[in-house]
Amino acid sequence: MPKASDILSIARAELGYTENPQGSNRTKYGKWFGLDGNPWCMMFDQWCFAQAGAAYLLPVRTASCGTMMRAAQAAGCWVTWDYQPGDVVIYDFPGGADTDHTGIIESVTAAGVVAIEGNTGAGNDANGGQVQRRSRSNNLIKG
């Protein structure tokens, strides 16, 4: 049975990966998912779980943060506290949609989480074009 450490090892190996060309949303994750050229943060999460043989642990195969949230709620696996490494985290950034972005939790801190996220960057948290390790505060976490 796959473990959180297996999923995180795969995600860590992707750190620094960038879409090509920049600003295109074209990635190997989008190609794998069948939606290349679209925002890919959730496709990155899905790809990591699939590579670890853990896709069955996710309540739905989707490229949408909102769909993942609703499927997790319906499946009884949605949490809003006591996050664990390997959990898929969904963020709500100020001024955006209700579910803006996602990542895979690497560690939990007193202030929030450290996550490995696809399609993020310093200039655009939710569509930045790179796989990065990001620290996020609790007030940005939807669940």
Side-chain angles (χ1 to χ4, degrees):
M1 179 171 196
K3 298 181 175 111
S5 59
D6 300 325
I7 298 161
L8 287 167
S9 290
I10 289 163
R12 285 183 191 114
E14 298 300 305
L15 287 166
Y17 178 92
T18 57
E19 62 192 29
N20 188 14
Q22 184 178 359
S24 69
N25 281 320
R26 298 210 173 273
T27 65
K28 65 182 177 183
Y29 318 112
K31 285 178 188 159
W32 167 82
F33 196 86
L35 288 174
D36 201 21
N38 288 282
W40 51 276
C41 59
M42 182 58 74
M43 290 185 270
F44 169 76
D45 292 358
Q46 297 270 336
W47 183 89
C48 290
F49 273 73
Q51 298 305 303
Y56 69 92
L57 295 173
L58 298 174
V60 67
R61 185 177 192 271
T62 184
S64 164
C65 294
T67 298
M68 177 60 76
M69 178 185 74
R70 288 183 293 280
Q73 289 169 333
C77 59
W78 180 256
V79 297
T80 56
W81 60 281
D82 196 27
Y83 306 115
Q84 302 295 314
D87 283 353
V88 171
V89 61
I90 296 177
Y91 305 108
D92 179 12
F93 298 139
D98 192 37
T99 55
D100 296 301
H101 187 61
T102 185
I104 301 170
I105 295 176
E106 186 174 35
S107 62
V108 179
T109 68
V113 298
V114 176
I116 300 174
E117 304 172 10
N119 204 16
T120 191
N124 187 329
D125 285 331
N127 193 17
Q130 188 173 37
V131 177
Q132 295 182 355
R133 178 178 284 118
R134 302 294 303 267
S135 296
R136 305 285 189 183
S137 64
N138 283 320
N139 67 323
L140 297 176
I141 299 172
K142 184 84 175 171

